[in-house]
Amino acid sequence: MAEQAFGPGMPRICEDIDIIVQPGDVPRADGIMRELRYGPGGPQLPSSELDEFLASEYHLSYMRKDGIAFEVHWNFGHDVFCGSLDVRRLLERAGTVCFAGAEIPTFTPEDLVVILSIHGAKHGWERLKWVFDLAGLLHRHPDLDVEAVDRLAQAFGCRRMVALGLQLAAGAIQANSASRFASRPLAALREQWSMAEVPTLSLVDVQVRTRDTRLERWRLVWWRIVRRIEPNERDRAVVALPRALHGLYYVIRPYRLLTQYGRKLERFLDREG
């Protein structure tokens, strides 16, 4: 992505390296990472119920002893954030970029505009470098098919996400390149957002207001509520239950949270008292 946005040899600081694979290739990718001596940096690929795991999650994290981190993705976020984004379709039409003397598969610039906009909206555009990634990509590709970007955003149900990304990028891009955003499709998208209101939005505001429909907004709100009460890997680590008894994790979860945070609350009250 750095090659596409900033040109050959231009450095870009990152915390990890993301690899995108087809969902069916996840077990093979996991085996390769372990062969390369990368240990798990989070939840591990389960030996059973693989389909359920792939449907509910979207990446696996790995860490090497020297601190190098990798993430193997089969999506760019939970379904509630990515709409109808089809990773398979994106990979099928991927191009290549020359990096370190090798041809590396990568997404087309048009697809990357949509992907970066989804990623930024998911995280509330909390990092300025993400804005400059998108601005650099648009600046480096003056022949980018803006109508294709609009069609992709509409097909994937993320027009407002792309609109916000373009509005932020327009504010960051060099003045002599600002005309790239004057084309009709990009201007129409950008007009959905006012730069005066963007800095006042919280993470939840951005996540909710970048949904294209009211149904999607309510779906996101419901998802956030469910995630608060839904058992996770920490709850399952308390005791291993057979699948038939997984419903008991909903009982274990509040007990674990009470044990974890109750002591902190007790110490806080002791200090205040």
Side-chain angles (χ1 to χ4, degrees):
M1 195 274 287
E3 291 277 327
Q4 289 177 283
F6 305 113
M10 292 298 291
R12 178 184 180 273
I13 298 175
C14 60
E15 297 176 354
D16 54 35
I17 300 173
D18 293 338
I19 302 173
I20 315 298
V21 301
Q22 300 273 15
D25 292 330
V26 172
R28 179 167 170 254
D30 179 67
I32 292 174
M33 295 304 297
R34 294 176 184 276
E35 289 177 6
L36 295 174
R37 300 181 184 277
Y38 281 88
Q44 301 182 48
L45 192 67
S47 56
S48 61
E49 303 172 8
L50 179 60
D51 290 342
E52 180 181 339
F53 178 83
L54 295 178
S56 62
E57 300 297 334
Y58 62 94
H59 78 286
L60 291 168
S61 300
Y62 301 87
M63 181 73 70
R64 206 165 64 181
K65 289 183 178 180
D66 58 7
I68 297 178
F70 266 84
E71 287 188 351
V72 172
H73 284 252
W74 54 96
N75 206 342
F76 301 101
H78 293 99
D79 287 345
V80 70
F81 290 110
C82 297
S84 57
L85 185 68
D86 190 342
V87 175
R88 291 181 178 87
R89 283 176 56 190
L90 301 186
L91 290 173
E92 286 172 358
R93 60 171 176 256
T96 60
V97 63
C98 184
F99 181 77
E103 291 293 323
I104 306 297
T106 189
F107 298 108
T108 67
E110 291 80 9
D111 288 345
L112 202 50
V113 168
V114 175
I115 292 168
L116 293 178
S117 297
I118 290 174
H119 178 266
K122 182 179 72 171
H123 294 289
W125 289 101
E126 62 184 10
R127 298 189 183 182
L128 188 59
K129 72 174 183 178
W130 296 338
V131 177
F132 279 92
D133 287 342
L134 184 52
L137 179 68
L138 291 162
H139 177 58
R140 284 268 304 163
H141 295 273
D143 58 343
L144 183 135
D145 188 343
V146 293
E147 292 188 356
V149 171
D150 193 16
R151 289 195 300 270
L152 286 168
Q154 189 164 6
F156 293 149
C158 58
R159 291 187 85 241
R160 286 186 61 80
M161 296 184 199
V162 173
L164 178 56
L166 294 175
Q167 186 73 305
L168 294 171
I173 206 166
Q174 296 178 5
N176 61 0
S177 300
S179 60
R180 285 291 296 123
F181 296 88
S183 62
R184 183 176 55 81
L186 293 188
L189 279 173
R190 288 177 53 205
E191 288 171 0
Q192 298 182 44
W193 289 93
S194 166
M195 283 305 295
E197 67 173 335
V198 171
T200 67
L201 299 178
S202 68
L203 170 62
V204 176
D205 286 333
V206 172
Q207 290 179 345
V208 171
R209 294 183 61 178
T210 50
R211 307 299 109 175
D212 280 3
T213 66
R214 183 174 297 179
L215 177 61
E216 285 299 312
R217 295 184 191 120
W218 279 109
R219 182 185 174 213
L220 174 63
V221 171
W222 176 248
W223 179 85
R224 291 181 64 89
I225 294 172
V226 170
R227 291 289 287 188
R228 293 288 185 180
I229 63 175
E230 189 175 41
N232 57 29
E233 292 298 321
R234 293 182 180 179
D235 303 311
R236 287 186 277 272
V238 174
V239 58
L241 295 175
R243 181 176 177 81
L245 298 179
H246 275 194
L248 292 177
Y249 285 122
Y250 285 92
V251 178
I252 293 173
R253 178 169 175 76
Y255 172 78
R256 181 186 68 80
L257 293 175
L258 182 62
T259 303
Q260 179 178 347
Y261 295 105
R263 294 170 184 170
K264 294 181 180 180
L265 178 60
E266 185 179 354
R267 288 196 295 268
F268 173 78
L269 294 175
D270 287 342
R271 289 197 303 268
E272 293 298 311

